[in-house]
């Protein structure tokens, strides 16, 4: 079990091996869930989208910098299956 020190500001720093275990890269976020008995559950925050958001990107209702190409759509789908954000 890892033990972490709390700073004066109430912050903790997760050690590299813990971040690797969670699959978290620099700049990504973590989710914390409060559990009974003063415990926390820590897991990698994975962005979620909706199927409506995807369809609106295709039908033009979503404001995109440029239209999605077939390659862009394939990348989004592949990243979603891998549980990663596209472009990362």
């Amino acid at each position: 079990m890892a033990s972490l020190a709390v700073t004066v500001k109430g912050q903790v720093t997760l050690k590299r091996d813990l971040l690797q275990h969670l699959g978290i890269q620099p700049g990504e976020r973590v989710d914390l869930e409060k559990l009974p008995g003063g415990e926390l559950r820590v897991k990698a925050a994975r962005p979620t989208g909706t199927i409506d958001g995807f369809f609106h990107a295709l039908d033009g209702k979503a404001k995109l910098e440029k239209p999605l190409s077939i390659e862009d759509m394939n990348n989004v789908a592949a990243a979603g299956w891998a549980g990663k954000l596209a472009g990362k």
Side-chain angles (χ1 to χ4, degrees), residues 48-59 61-62 68 76-77 81:
T48 58
T50 65
I51 192 69
D52 287 338
F54 178 72
F55 286 132
H56 289 313
L58 298 176
D59 66 15
K61 291 181 182 175
L68 291 176
V76 169
W81 279 107

Side-chain angles (χ1 to χ4, degrees), residues 3-7 11-13:
S3 179
L4 305 172
V6 179
T7 68
Q11 299 172 336
V12 295
T13 301

Side-chain angles (χ1 to χ4, degrees), residues 34-71:
K34 292 180 188 177
L35 300 175
E39 293 186 33
L40 293 173
R41 177 177 293 145
V42 180
K43 61 182 185 176
R46 299 292 179 224
T48 58
T50 65
I51 192 69
D52 287 338
F54 178 72
F55 286 132
H56 289 313
L58 298 176
D59 66 15
K61 291 181 182 175
K63 294 185 180 4
L64 301 175
E65 292 179 17
K66 63 178 184 158
L68 291 176
S69 67
I70 298 296
E71 183 179 353

